[in-house]
């Protein structure tokens, strides 16, 4: 009889656990923030964890709708369903209540939600691993579990509030760095993600509704790598603006944008190259030629690129000037 009861208890536990711990969900004991920028309306979610590729499971966001962080015993459906509920007009709290209402594993869940109006909600199940906790503030919610100390939520909240002058992605990054500074994940660190979307959707999927979408899947110092990637992202925003200026035949603006990018990464050959080409198209062929010679010395294939540009209309110089640029 005792054996029968024991077997029944084991089977019951296994069946219950299987309902919320499936291989397609997995674990993500971590710290995260969901937030909205009051000035721009942008919406973000940021996360770091000692778990591989945390950005593929924890962080969810949609332009004009909101953002969701689902962690601890991650339930990916919370991301998809949560955004769908927000899109229907539910507030962050209403969406969270619905998600948890039929979840047998809610006591091992941790969730944070922000909607497009800045309403926030979060939840920490009573069986999340210590230290586990959450905080809410104006336009943001932070949540963490399996932390080395109990200081993480407060550190994140304080950082987010005191860095209001920063762009939202950088502000989120600072909050994540603050969490790590007071101990972070008790197991260490492995991956991170930052996702920022527009406050209002354009209605065109091909537009850049995702303003920042960066992931570090496996790294010894994911936040340091994220900081490097975010800086690179900002530099390439200037490059993209320069490309658009060329498309609109505004060489002066193109030079300004390419110059700003090159100032951030002066050793980047791509940025140097297009700055040189824009100089040539603007009539400053001699300076462009000097820049190109230095570039060719490091990577000869850029000379072949220069040969191909006139056909594409991206280099509009005379034949004599082209020969100078190809030296």
């Amino acid at each position: 009889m005792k054996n029968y009861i024991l077997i029944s208890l084991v089977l019951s536990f296994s069946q219950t656990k299987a309902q919320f711990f499936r291989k397609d969900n997995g674990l993500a004991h971590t710290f995260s923030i969901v937030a909205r920028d009051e000035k721009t309306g942008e919406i973000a979610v940021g996360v770091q964890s000692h778990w591989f590729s945390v950005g593929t499971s924890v962080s969810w966001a949609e332009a004009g709708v909101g953002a969701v962080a689902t962690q601890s015993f991650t339930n990916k459906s919370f991301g998809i369903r949560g955004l769908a509920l927000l899109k229907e007009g539910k507030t962050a709290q209403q969406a969270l209540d619905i998600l948890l209402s039929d979840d047998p594993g809610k006591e091992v869940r941790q969730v944070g939600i922000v909607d497009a109006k800045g309403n926030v909600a979060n939840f920490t199940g009573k069986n999340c691993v210590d230290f586990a906790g959450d905080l809410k503030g104006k336009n943001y919610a932070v949540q963490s579990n399996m932390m080395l100390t109990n200081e993480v939520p407060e550190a994140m909240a304080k950082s987010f509030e005191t860095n209001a002058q920063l762009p939202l992605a950088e502000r989120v990054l600072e909050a994540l760095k603050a969490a790590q500074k007071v101990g972070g994940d008790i197991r260490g660190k492995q991956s991170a993600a930052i996702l920022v979307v527009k406050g209002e959707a354009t209605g065109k999927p091909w537009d850049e509704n995702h303003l920042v979408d960066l992931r570090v899947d496996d790294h010894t110092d994911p936040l340091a790598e994220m900081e490097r990637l975010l800086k690179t992202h900002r530099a390439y925003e200037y490059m993209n603006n320069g490309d658009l200026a060329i498309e609109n035949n505004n060489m002066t603006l193109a030079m300004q944008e390419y110059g700003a990018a090159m100032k951030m990464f002066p050793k980047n050959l791509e940025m140097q190259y297009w700055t040189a080409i824009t100089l040539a198209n603007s009539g400053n062929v001699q300076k462009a030629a000097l820049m190109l010679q230095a570039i060719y010395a490091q990577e000869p294939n850029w000379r072949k690129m220069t040969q191909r540009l006139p056909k594409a209309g991206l280099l509009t110089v005379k034949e004599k000037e082209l020969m100078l640029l190809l030296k």
Side-chain angles (χ1 to χ4, degrees):
M1 183 66 175
K2 289 181 179 178
N3 288 340
Y4 174 77
I5 294 172
L6 179 61
I7 292 170
S8 296
L9 287 172
V10 171
L11 287 173
S12 175
F13 176 78
S14 299
Q15 289 168 356
T16 302
K17 189 144 186 165
Q19 289 179 303
F20 60 84
F21 182 44
R22 305 193 308 268
K23 65 180 181 180
D24 61 331
N25 285 336
L27 303 169
H29 299 290
T30 185
F31 53 85
S32 68
I33 177 170
V34 291
R36 175 180 177 270
D37 188 308
E38 193 171 22
K39 300 186 291 291
T40 66
E42 293 173 5
I43 306 162
V45 53
V47 56
Q48 181 182 271
S49 176
H50 187 279
W51 192 258
F52 175 70
S53 193
V54 69
T56 59
S57 56
V58 169
S59 48
W60 304 81
E62 183 175 344
V65 177
V68 178
T70 168
Q71 58 199 50
S72 187
F73 279 77
T74 305
N75 187 333
K76 291 183 181 180
S77 79
F78 280 15
I80 300 167
R81 292 165 57 211
L83 292 175
L85 289 166
L86 296 180
K87 204 167 188 176
E88 290 174 6
K90 300 289 192 297
T91 65
Q93 188 63 56
Q94 289 170 337
L96 179 59
D97 291 343
I98 293 170
L99 292 174
L100 296 173
S101 65
D102 61 353
D103 180 17
K106 73 176 186 178
E107 297 304 342
V108 293
R109 307 285 190 222
Q110 194 169 51
V111 191
I113 302 178
V114 61
D115 62 35
K117 295 180 180 179
N119 300 306
V120 295
N122 53 16
F123 171 82
T124 300
K126 63 182 181 182
N127 293 332
C128 289
V129 180
D130 285 340
F131 287 101
D134 55 60
L135 280 175
K136 290 181 288 188
K138 187 178 181 182
N139 289 298
Y140 75 90
V142 297
Q143 38 285 324
S144 61
N145 66 87
M146 203 179 277
M147 296 294 101
L148 181 62
T149 74
N150 62 359
E151 301 174 32
V152 168
E154 186 175 347
M156 294 181 76
K158 183 179 179 180
S159 173
F160 188 77
E161 291 177 2
T162 57
N163 284 298
Q165 78 284 359
L166 295 177
L168 186 56
E170 282 80 359
R171 197 175 173 190
V172 164
L173 177 59
E174 288 303 313
L176 296 176
K177 288 164 63 178
Q180 187 59 47
K181 190 174 182 179
V182 295
D185 190 324
I186 195 171
R187 301 163 301 172
K189 47 195 176 181
Q190 184 172 2
S191 66
I194 292 180
L195 175 58
V196 181
V197 298
K198 290 181 178 179
E200 293 185 15
T202 62
K204 301 174 182 178
W206 53 86
D207 281 348
E208 294 182 0
N209 288 310
H210 283 199
L211 299 173
V212 178
D213 191 355
L214 299 174
R215 285 192 357 224
V216 178
D217 286 337
D218 187 20
H219 198 278
T220 55
D221 195 348
L223 291 183
E225 177 64 4
M226 178 62 72
E227 190 163 25
R228 185 189 71 81
L229 290 176
L230 184 54
K231 183 181 177 183
T232 304
H233 171 85
R234 294 305 188 196
Y236 272 90
E237 284 183 330
Y238 287 121
M239 292 295 293
N240 290 336
N241 291 338
D243 291 347
L244 182 61
I246 286 180
E247 189 176 324
N248 294 325
N249 201 32
N250 188 338
M251 294 302 169
T252 301
L253 179 59
M255 275 302 302
Q256 292 174 359
E257 297 292 337
Y258 288 150
M262 197 168 68
K263 187 175 180 180
M264 293 180 71
F265 288 94
K267 295 182 180 180
N268 184 294
L269 294 186
E270 179 96 29
M271 296 173 185
Q272 293 177 30
Y273 181 79
W274 292 111
T275 300
I277 295 301
T278 305
L279 279 169
N281 285 332
S282 300
N284 200 336
V285 177
Q286 291 290 343
K287 186 174 180 180
L290 289 173
M291 289 183 67
L292 289 172
Q293 286 170 20
I295 293 169
Y296 300 156
Q298 295 179 71
E299 176 49 69
N301 282 342
W302 284 109
R303 182 180 279 106
K304 295 179 182 179
M305 171 71 87
T306 304
Q307 293 172 333
R308 299 176 183 182
L309 293 185
K311 180 181 177 182
L314 296 177
L315 183 57
T316 56
V317 295
K318 297 177 180 179
E319 184 67 24
K320 183 179 179 180
E321 294 171 328
L322 178 60
M323 292 303 102
L324 180 62
L325 296 175
L326 291 172
K327 279 188 177 180

